[in-house]
Structures are given as C-alpha cells and as structure tokens.
C-alpha cells in the first residue's frame, strides 16, 4: 500500500505575530518545518508532499528540501487560503496514494513511532487521528460568560497526523464542495476529521498520542519546544 504524507506549511501564523511565518523561524539552527519533514523522511511513508505559500515554493525547494536532502519530498506545491484548502492542493498531487497522513508543519515534535501507529491504524480503520485527553476543564464561553461545561472525560485535543484512506477523504471533499455550492455557507473547518465526520459519517478512530506533539502557535510555544528538544530523551511522555 502506498502512503503519502501531506505536510502543511502554507499558513500565515497570525497568532505568532512574527515577521516571518513560524514554520520558517529558527530553532536550534534549523527552521521549524525541518523537524516534521525529518520525522517523515525517517519514517516508513513512501513519499511526502510539502504544501507551502505560493511565494515560498522556490525557497522551500532549494533551502529546505534540497539543503537537508529530504529525498522523499516529491512535490512542493502552493496551498490555499484556509487549512482545508491547502490539504486539497496536497491531495490533488497524491495521485497514487492509498492512504494519506496529513500533518501540520507547525508540529515539529512528531515522533516516528506515532507516524508508524498512524500508518497501521489507518489500514484498519480508514480514518484516524492522534489525540490526547484534555488536562484542563473546558468551558463554552459566549460573550464573556460561561454557558456550558462539557464532561471532561469525553474531551480530547486533536493533533496530527490525521490519516485517511485517500478515497474516503476525496469523497468527503467532493461532498463538501457540493454542499457549499448549495448552501453557500462556509463552516469554520479547523481539521480534516471534521470534513470526513460531517460529509461521510465514517467513524474516526482516536490514537492516544503524546503530549509532546505540540503545535507551535503562539510565542510561548517556542520555549516549550526548546525545552522538549533539550530533554528529548525524557520527552516521550506516553499515556496509557
Ligand atoms: N496551514 C496551511 N494553509 C493554510 C492555513 C494553515 O497549510 N491556509 C497550515 C499551517 O502552516 C500549519 C497548520 O496548517 O502548519 C496548522 O495551522 P495553524 O497552526 O492554524 O497555522 P496558521 O494558520 O499559520 O496560524 P494562525 O492560525 O495563527 O494564523
Ligand atoms: Mg490557522
């Protein structure tokens, strides 16, 4: 079975408030995106598609893919205005993939072990996502006031990779397009599992993940990443 990783790096990083997109910022001598690409390069995936901003395709090809010898990266393609549209651009290039693993380029701490787990699970379940149980109590807040407190035992924080049978994900996207044309409403789609859930009803299997697989989103995440890299040996905090 052919497995393609789609690594997303076409975001603007608004919440980081930095001059250059967070995925290209330096972390201990390497750009943030290097770490995720390295994990997939060293994993059992067959190839990698890197999705980046249209203005960064040349830079990524030369100064990241070629420079660090990421031989599994077979395409560097421009993404879209929203994350799910960037996924779609990657999906168009994943022609011969039976399965796709979609990963946030801003999640540098992904481990090869979690990639293998995703590869195994997606063959069985067709749709699976790495996730961790939330540690905080999560409340629904409306206009500054608490309106609901969902039972914490049912809440999990989604990570990536999110892995799908390519056929299932393609169908979900086709149905989403039809629905959007008809209803003219664009829901706030923050991950790919949502599209599969809503458009196909196919069950998404959760893979208990690693708390160290953080997403670099706000400036404080860089401190966490530095600490995790420094303590990499001890950073493999698995949950039961
Ligand atoms: N992403 C993408 N294309 C987009 C938006 C996001 O490829 N149109 C990617 C980002 O580069 C990132 C991942 O999706 O690797 C997760 O998104 P997020 O953390 O939200 O990154 P940004 O959208 O860049 O940040 P922000 O939401 O703060 O602007
Ligand atoms: Mg975003």
């Amino acid at each position: 079975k052919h497995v393609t990783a789609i690594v997303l790096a076409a975001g603007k990083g608004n919440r980081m408030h930095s001059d250059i997109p967070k995925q290209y910022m330096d972390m201990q001598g390497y750009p943030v995106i290097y770490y995720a690409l390295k994990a997939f390069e060293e994993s059992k995936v067959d190839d990698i598609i890197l999705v980046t901003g249209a203005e960064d395709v040349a830079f990524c090809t030369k100064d990241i893919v070629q420079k660090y010898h990421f031989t599994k990266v077979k395409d560097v393609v421009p993404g879209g205005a929203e994350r799910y549209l960037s996924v779609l651009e990657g999906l168009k290039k994943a022609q011969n993939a039976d399965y796709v693993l979609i990963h946030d380029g801003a999640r540098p701490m992904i481990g090869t072990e979690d990639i293998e787990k995703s590869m195994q699970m997606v063959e069985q379940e067709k749709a699976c996502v790495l996730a961790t149980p939330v540690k905080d109590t999560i409340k629904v807040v409306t206009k500054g006031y608490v309106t609901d407190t969902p039972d914490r035992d049912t809440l999990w924080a989604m990570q990536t990779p999110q892995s799908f049978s390519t056929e299932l994900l393609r169908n979900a996207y086709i149905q989403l397009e039809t629905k959007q044309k008809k209803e003219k409403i664009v829901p706030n789609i923050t991950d790919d599992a949502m599209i599969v859930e809503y458009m196909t009803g196919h069950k998404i299997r959760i893979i208990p993940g690693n708390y160290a697989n953080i997403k670099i989103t706000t400036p404080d995440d860089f401190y966490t990443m530095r600490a995790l890299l420094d303590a990499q040996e001890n950073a493999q905090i698995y949950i039961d």
Side-chain angles (χ1 to χ4, degrees):
K1 295 286 181 184
H2 192 102
V3 182
T4 297
I6 298 176
V7 176
L8 300 173
K12 299 256 181 291
N14 292 321
R15 287 169 288 178
M16 188 58 75
H17 303 293
S18 66
D19 296 338
I20 61 165
K22 59 191 182 185
Q23 56 270 31
Y24 307 125
M25 286 168 73
D26 179 85
M27 174 55 73
Q28 301 193 345
Y30 297 98
V32 166
I33 187 71
Y34 162 89
Y35 293 90
L37 289 172
K38 184 165 183 279
F40 282 97
E41 179 79 22
E42 289 172 355
S43 78
K44 290 187 185 138
V45 302
D46 295 289
D47 46 32
I48 304 166
I49 294 165
L50 176 61
V51 185
T52 184
E55 63 286 1
D56 297 318
V57 171
F59 162 76
C60 284
T61 306
K62 186 168 166 285
D63 291 307
I64 293 174
V65 176
Q66 289 172 8
K67 181 171 174 183
Y68 299 112
H69 309 289
F70 291 132
T71 55
K72 284 189 182 174
V73 177
K74 62 162 190 175
D75 259 313
V76 182
V77 296
E82 299 289 338
R83 184 187 183 282
Y84 77 96
L85 296 172
S86 292
V87 172
L88 188 57
E89 293 310 312
L91 202 53
K92 284 180 194 165
K93 296 282 174 182
Q95 287 307 343
N96 50 1
D98 296 296
Y99 300 104
V100 286
L101 270 56
I102 297 162
H103 186 67
D104 294 330
R107 278 186 203 274
M109 304 306 295
I110 181 65
T112 335
E113 219 168 293
D114 279 348
I115 297 172
E116 308 312 337
K117 275 189 202 167
S118 301
M119 289 176 71
Q120 279 168 20
M121 190 67 92
V122 76
E123 273 205 48
Q124 277 173 46
E125 301 274 354
K126 291 194 174 169
C128 59
V129 180
L130 280 169
T132 50
V134 301
K135 299 182 194 181
D136 296 319
T137 294
I138 307 286
K139 291 189 189 285
V140 180
V141 176
T142 316
K143 293 180 182 158
Y145 291 92
V146 171
T147 50
D148 198 10
T149 307
D151 178 4
R152 193 179 58 193
D153 287 350
T154 67
L155 298 175
W156 288 63
M158 298 302 122
Q159 302 183 338
T160 69
Q162 303 205 345
S163 311
F164 305 95
S165 108
T166 316
E167 196 191 352
L168 177 69
L169 192 60
R170 279 216 182 94
N171 281 337
Y173 268 93
I174 291 166
Q175 289 180 49
L176 176 71
E177 206 186 342
T178 315
K179 191 175 159 75
Q180 283 181 338
K181 273 189 191 142
K182 220 163 61 192
E183 299 175 8
K184 299 209 178 344
I185 41 161
V186 185
N188 185 19
I189 301 166
T190 50
D191 77 350
D192 312 291
M194 270 177 82
I195 301 178
V196 174
E197 273 164 73
Y198 294 142
M199 296 300 132
T200 73
H202 189 95
K203 283 204 168 146
I204 316 281
R205 179 73 188 212
I206 291 297
I207 309 170
N210 187 330
Y211 284 110
N213 183 18
I214 58 164
K215 181 158 68 69
I216 304 292
T217 308
T218 49
D220 58 293
D221 292 322
F222 274 98
Y223 295 105
T224 312
M225 180 178 175
R226 198 166 297 139
L228 288 169
L229 284 174
D230 283 345
Q232 196 137 41
E233 295 285 288
N234 306 321
Q236 303 296 314
I237 309 153
Y238 290 101
I239 52 157
D240 351 288

